[in-house]
Amino acid sequence: MGLRFAILLSGRGSNMMSIADLLDDKSLDSDIALVAADKPCAGLAFASERGFETRLISYADRAKSDSEEELAQVIEAADVDYILLAGFMRVLSADFVSRFEGRIINIHPSLLPKYKGLNTHQRAIEAGDSRHGVSVHIVTAGLDDGPIIAQDDIAIEKDDDETSLASRLLPCEHALYAKVITSLIKGDLVIENGKPRWQIAE
Ligand code: GRF
């Protein structure tokens, strides 16, 4: 059975575009029902050009709780199964997260629990790590803190800088999100009581 997704973003939208390409496969029978952003951005423009329902939710000049209430209502009206964060640069409140308990998924460019927050590529290089990676996890009230669904990693090369490392990791991000979303749609991955359970070997 297919699923309906909302995608939240704040930036260039490459993960959103990759998910859109994935769901072009009609055999998955699933849709992006809504793309919402907290500010005007390339990702929101791409989504609109692609024909998705888009919404800009302002966070300026009002309380965060008001912005989140509008966002929650828009998502509820879209009647989605899951909310996918794809470069959404706002921390969701505990109230918002509990309203959609176990149904919000994030992609974070580090091997969590390492490097929660920003500048993950630079921090991995500065720490002298030999490997860096990406995590897809269930969103809880703690920043980048929820149960990990899947991870992938790549080697950090001697001459890597933040830019080269980020650009080598990006295709892995797209592939990992696609794997998780496909598995959710096919029922190979189930999220129960806020925890992921793989029905097949990962
Ligand atoms: C990605 O690196 C993602 O892991 C992080 O924000 C970035 C968004 O990139 N959460 P894009 O907007 O999907 O290209």
Side-chain angles (χ1 to χ4, degrees):
M1 198 192 82
L3 295 175
R4 288 166 67 80
F5 298 98
I7 297 181
L8 307 189
L9 48 71
S10 304
R12 69 191 159 178
S14 75
N15 276 285
M16 182 278 298
M17 293 295 267
S18 162
I19 296 165
D21 289 346
L22 173 76
L23 299 185
D24 273 346
D25 176 351
K26 290 301 157 213
S27 73
L28 292 175
D29 187 29
S30 296
D31 295 304
I32 296 173
L34 171 72
V35 178
D38 60 321
K39 58 179 185 187
C41 59
L44 198 63
F46 289 146
S48 170
E49 280 163 24
R50 205 149 171 160
F52 299 132
E53 176 84 24
T54 57
R55 287 296 291 265
L56 178 61
I57 307 292
S58 171
Y59 275 67
D61 302 325
R62 60 175 171 170
K64 176 175 172 176
S65 56
D66 290 344
S67 303
E68 286 195 335
E69 180 59 32
E70 183 185 350
L71 180 59
Q73 287 184 15
V74 166
I75 291 170
E76 282 165 358
D79 192 24
V80 299
D81 299 287
Y82 288 97
I83 302 165
L84 305 174
L85 307 187
F88 187 63
M89 300 306 285
R90 300 271 170 185
V91 178
L92 296 168
S93 71
D95 281 349
F96 186 95
V97 170
S98 73
R99 193 155 163 175
F100 299 99
E101 189 101 56
R103 294 167 54 209
I104 312 176
I105 295 173
N106 183 40
I107 187 159
H108 181 75
S110 82
L111 291 172
L112 291 172
K114 279 187 160 182
Y115 314 130
K116 297 173 181 176
L118 299 174
N119 304 318
T120 58
H121 313 299
Q122 187 63 35
R123 287 158 68 198
I125 292 169
E126 279 169 8
D129 292 355
S130 59
R131 300 196 73 80
H132 184 45
V134 53
S135 306
V136 173
H137 68 95
I138 297 166
V139 172
T140 57
L143 177 67
D144 299 325
D145 197 38
I148 292 168
I149 299 173
Q151 294 182 308
D152 195 11
D153 66 332
I154 59 173
I156 300 180
E157 308 292 351
K158 261 199 327 287
D159 52 358
D160 260 330
D161 60 16
E162 188 179 3
T163 308
S164 64
L165 188 55
S167 68
R168 271 209 337 286
L169 190 63
L170 195 61
C172 301
E173 292 197 27
H174 298 164
L176 191 70
Y177 230 168
K179 173 182 156 180
V180 166
I181 292 164
T182 304
S183 302
L184 268 178
I185 293 168
K186 293 189 167 172
D188 297 334
L189 165 68
V190 177
I191 296 177
E192 273 172 357
N193 303 322
K195 299 217 169 55
R197 182 162 54 79
W198 289 90
Q199 309 277 62
I200 51 160
E202 266 181 76

